[in-house]
Amino acid sequence: MLLKKIILVKYGEIALRKGNRALYEKRLMDTLRKRLYDIAGDAIHVLREQGRFVIEDVRGDIDEKAVIPRIRNIFGVTAFCLCLKTDARELADIQNIAAEFFRGFLTDAPHTFKVETKRGDKNYPVPSREVSAAVGGYILERLPGLKVDVHRPDRVLWVEVRTYVYLYVHSEPGEGGLPYGSSGKAVLLLSGGIDSPVAGYLTAKRGVEIVAVYFHSPPYTPERAAEKVKDLTARLCAYTGALKLYVVPFTDVQLYLYENVQHSKLTILLKRSMLKIASVIAEKENAHCLITGDSIGQVASQTILSMEAVDSAAKFPVLRPLCAMDKQQIIEIAKKIGTYEISVLPFEDCCTLFVAEHPESKPKVSVIEGIEKRLSELTRLWEEAAGKACER
Ligand code: ATP
Ligand code: MG
């Protein structure tokens, strides 16, 4: 009889999407396979079984210490659990195996418990309730110190009847969201700050593939500022897999604007320039939107009117996943995903060096566009910057 430790992966939300379900499942399965490959190559199998993925090692029990850390960060996984898999189908065998399995989760102290059964295989002849009652009754007779409590049990033994039967006690919540790459592609304007990595993470969690772009202004921003953005990108990779980062040489655009426009309008014009150049990269990358880390009212350049004045420069919709969050909420996410410690390192990003004392908070689109039109060198400088953007 087969008895083997495996990992069962649950993926709630994507299972609900009828039309695209197969596509979403394939994405998630590919991601799982890719992330697990270097643990043991082809020996680790990821199989689909009635709305679940089963991860198993063809050589024997799964090495959960190696596998679980890699599943934790995968978007689209709602929960996962270490299970005992068996090919036993007879209720008497399942009772026996379940009791032995459950024993391993008990201490000397008295426990309350219940058994919950799910039948993925609707052809299994015994209804779920009866399986639970039979297994629960058997355990109660055999294992000392147990009492049934169906409302607030100390332990729940889950029995999932699928092509095989799976038993587990603990289920760990997964990262949630949608499989990475299943919802199109976007360009993330990634500065070295706290906000934009969080904006990237949240969007990627909805399944959007990301290409990061950083605007670098040497010698006003040190090389270490670019390194910091690279480190942030590497942190995000823990969730997304390999990520592309473009570094755009921004000094010429920045100096040109600094010398030619009223300083109160500088921030808006710099942001517009970033969106212009990011749009060129988005086209090249076949991406269809831009993402920034703006949050409404956080600073003068992040008012609704500023956003309106900035966005008309973009060729694609500009998503601002943090727009309605306050700083504390953003910091909490940054800490959870491990970008916070990198973001707070003190290297200036290009905007902080060129900020005006009194940036305008109520710019008018027509006025800003009028100013831009009169800047004869600007389009050329944008093109040059986009052309010189290089991948790191
Ligand atoms: P962050 O914490 O993300 O740096 P911030 O609070 O410092 O944001 P701003 O400097 O106004 O705010 O920047 C707003 C957004 O503009 C950033 O979240 C980012 O998406 C984009 N941005 C700003 N500077 C750069 C840069 N040098 N390279 C790429 N994107 C940038
Ligand atoms: Mg910043």
Side-chain angles (χ1 to χ4, degrees), residues 189-191 193-197 213-215 271 274 291-294 298-299 301-302 327 349-351:
L189 282 81
L190 184 63
S191 70
I194 294 169
D195 303 324
S196 44
V213 176
Y214 167 60
F215 294 88
K271 284 274 157 64
M274 288 186 192
I291 303 161
T292 76
D294 297 308
Q298 202 184 83
V299 288
S301 61
Q302 298 179 8
K327 197 74 187 188
D349 75 34
C350 64
C351 280

Side-chain angles (χ1 to χ4, degrees), residues 254-291:
Q254 201 153 15
L255 286 177
Y256 178 72
L257 288 171
Y258 192 72
E259 280 154 16
N260 290 285
V261 304
Q262 219 182 315
H263 284 182
S264 63
K265 299 199 164 39
L266 194 57
T267 310
I268 297 288
L269 285 155
L270 283 170
K271 284 274 157 64
R272 285 178 62 90
S273 294
M274 288 186 192
L275 291 189
K276 277 279 180 207
I277 297 164
S279 297
V280 176
I281 295 173
E283 266 188 315
K284 179 179 155 205
E285 283 287 336
N286 201 20
H288 290 275
C289 69
L290 309 176
I291 303 161

Side-chain angles (χ1 to χ4, degrees), residues 158-354:
W158 291 89
V159 181
E160 295 206 6
V161 183
R162 301 179 179 279
T163 308
Y164 292 87
V165 172
Y166 300 93
L167 303 167
Y168 60 92
V169 172
H170 299 298
S171 180
E172 186 179 328
E175 189 59 34
L178 295 171
Y180 184 67
S182 65
S183 312
K185 193 171 178 181
V187 163
L188 168 68
L189 282 81
L190 184 63
S191 70
I194 294 169
D195 303 324
S196 44
V198 174
Y201 161 80
L202 290 176
T203 315
K205 187 169 176 175
R206 296 310 300 163
V208 178
E209 185 184 344
I210 276 173
V211 175
V213 176
Y214 167 60
F215 294 88
H216 189 37
S217 298
Y220 303 98
T221 43
E223 179 54 28
R224 280 164 76 189
E227 286 298 318
K228 178 178 165 184
V229 176
K230 232 176 112 179
D231 291 346
L232 286 170
T233 310
R235 266 311 297 154
L236 290 175
C237 285
Y239 295 91
T240 59
L243 267 185
K244 239 189 219 180
L245 167 67
Y246 283 95
V247 176
V248 178
F250 202 48
T251 316
D252 292 348
V253 173
Q254 201 153 15
L255 286 177
Y256 178 72
L257 288 171
Y258 192 72
E259 280 154 16
N260 290 285
V261 304
Q262 219 182 315
H263 284 182
S264 63
K265 299 199 164 39
L266 194 57
T267 310
I268 297 288
L269 285 155
L270 283 170
K271 284 274 157 64
R272 285 178 62 90
S273 294
M274 288 186 192
L275 291 189
K276 277 279 180 207
I277 297 164
S279 297
V280 176
I281 295 173
E283 266 188 315
K284 179 179 155 205
E285 283 287 336
N286 201 20
H288 290 275
C289 69
L290 309 176
I291 303 161
T292 76
D294 297 308
S295 163
I296 298 167
Q298 202 184 83
V299 288
S301 61
Q302 298 179 8
T303 63
I304 297 279
L305 290 180
S306 305
M307 290 176 193
E308 186 192 11
V310 165
D311 283 11
S312 73
K315 195 170 173 201
F316 299 98
V318 181
L319 304 186
R320 294 183 169 86
L322 311 185
C323 74
M325 287 191 191
D326 51 51
K327 197 74 187 188
Q328 203 47 43
Q329 285 176 291
I330 299 168
I331 288 174
E332 265 164 40
I333 301 173
K335 284 185 173 163
K336 176 196 160 268
I337 63 175
T339 54
Y340 183 77
E341 301 74 46
I342 305 171
S343 293
V344 291
L345 295 173
F347 311 123
E348 303 289 322
D349 75 34
C350 64
C351 280
T352 44
L353 286 173
F354 287 83

